[in-house]
Amino acid sequence: QVQLVESGGGLVQAGGSLRLSCAASGRIFSINVMGWYRQAPGKQRDLVAHITSGGSTNYADSVKGRFTISRDNAKNTVYLQMNSLKPEDTAVYYCNANLRTRLSRADDYWGQGTQVTVSS
């Protein structure tokens, strides 16, 4: 019943920027962590960045200094600002949330993904 919906993907040239958004909806009691993962062709899904409800952040080494994750707790929405994009950033980007649907139960949920393609 919980749903995560991503938006903002697209095609850009190297050096350009994109901003991804992910909104969570449904029977949500509270959200602990929201984050972004990505999966390139022929590779596994890897963590890009995550942010806690208190604002603590963590980034993959490959995106530090270029990507910024932020969160609007009132809207149950997480954002990923991507600057100085490189062809190696090309992947499907997936939103993830660890949240409670009630006080005694917490689970991970995934969005359907949004394609980001960076050309050179």
Side-chain angles (χ1 to χ4, degrees):
Q1 194 167 356
V2 172
Q3 187 177 55
L4 304 182
V5 179
E6 302 108 329
S7 62
L11 280 68
V12 297
Q13 292 188 327
S17 298
L18 284 174
R19 188 191 189 214
L20 305 183
S21 299
C22 173
S25 62
R27 297 185 183 273
I28 300 171
F29 183 82
S30 63
I31 299 178
N32 300 315
V33 181
M34 297 189 77
W36 292 93
Y37 291 70
R38 67 186 181 186
Q39 187 168 22
K43 298 184 178 180
Q44 67 180 18
R45 188 176 300 185
D46 293 323
L47 174 70
V48 177
H50 71 243
I51 185 168
T52 70
S53 60
S56 297
T57 59
N58 182 258
Y59 297 91
D61 288 341
S62 60
V63 307
K64 286 182 179 178
R66 299 188 298 119
F67 291 10
T68 302
I69 190 168
S70 60
R71 181 174 180 176
D72 186 335
N73 291 336
K75 297 180 179 179
N76 289 335
T77 299
V78 66
Y79 306 93
L80 186 68
Q81 179 66 47
M82 304 186 293
N83 298 326
S84 301
L85 283 162
K86 304 175 181 179
E88 49 263 46
D89 295 318
T90 295
V92 177
Y93 284 69
Y94 296 91
C95 181
N96 170 265
N98 180 267
L99 57 83
R100 293 184 179 275
T101 53
R102 56 178 183 263
L103 181 63
S104 59
R105 180 169 181 169
D107 296 286
D108 280 349
Y109 295 87
W110 293 90
Q112 291 298 307
T114 184
Q115 177 70 48
V116 172
T117 302
V118 184
S119 64
S120 61

